Amino acid sequence: MGANGSSDGETWPPGWEDIAEEPRIIARTAILDISAMAPADFLAIAEAPYVIRADEWAFSSYTSAATAAEDIKLNKIIYRLVPKHLTEEQFWRLYFSKVLYILDSIKQHGVYPPPSPPPAPAAAPVEAPAPAAPTKTSLLFANPGQMEETCLVM
């Protein structure tokens, strides 16, 4: 079955065949690397900004893809995490969150991991307002010791 999620010819993930050969190889390699992740790193996917929210997850939508997963090493990480740290459904939610993140990166940027966002432009320095020209009142209060002289000059 390979990249096909089912035996009826339906390709999973959608759009896989539209990805050029070289980026598809990059994506496939990155997806196969998921099974080599340390358990703590895999579990950290739950905190990633790209994770599929539990209330939006429908395992039934991914069942055929999960059963057709090419990566024979997945059983090793599943065995280490399920059920000690999470349910099988939670495992697949995290797994497919990462898979879809990789595919989105490949489709948008042609690479994985995605390029770092450009640094935010530095804020322009705020210039202090120029001092106002002195007025008779400001001179009067600026130097109280000369108040008598100022008053006499006026």
Side-chain angles (χ1 to χ4, degrees):
M1 283 186 228
N4 291 341
S6 65
S7 58
D8 63 4
E10 181 182 325
T11 302
W12 197 97
W16 177 256
E17 293 170 342
D18 298 333
I19 301 172
E21 174 109 13
E22 188 174 328
R24 195 177 334 157
I25 291 169
I26 294 169
R28 184 177 186 279
T29 301
I31 291 167
L32 291 174
D33 286 346
I34 296 171
S35 63
M37 293 175 79
D41 293 337
F42 185 88
L43 292 171
I45 295 171
E47 304 302 320
Y50 56 81
V51 71
I52 300 168
R53 291 184 5 197
D55 62 340
E56 295 175 352
W57 171 248
F59 181 66
S60 60
S61 301
Y62 296 87
T63 304
S64 63
T67 59
E70 288 184 29
D71 190 354
I72 57 173
K73 295 181 290 182
L74 268 177
N75 285 335
K76 185 176 179 180
I77 194 168
I78 291 171
Y79 178 76
R80 292 167 74 185
L81 295 173
V82 176
K84 295 173 192 162
H85 300 285
L86 34 88
T87 67
E88 187 173 1
E89 185 171 332
Q90 291 169 326
F91 173 88
W92 288 113
R93 180 175 65 89
L94 298 182
Y95 175 81
F96 283 110
S97 291
K98 185 72 169 186
V99 167
L100 293 174
Y101 176 66
I102 291 167
L103 292 173
D104 286 346
S105 175
I106 291 294
K107 289 176 182 178
Q108 291 177 14
H109 308 287
V111 296
Y112 177 81
S116 299
V126 178
E127 294 183 27
T135 63
K136 289 182 181 180
T137 307
S138 65
L139 288 175
L140 179 67
F141 293 107
N143 194 348
Q146 295 180 342
M147 191 163 158
E148 292 176 8
E149 288 180 27
T150 307
C151 290
L152 294 176
V153 174
M154 288 185 193

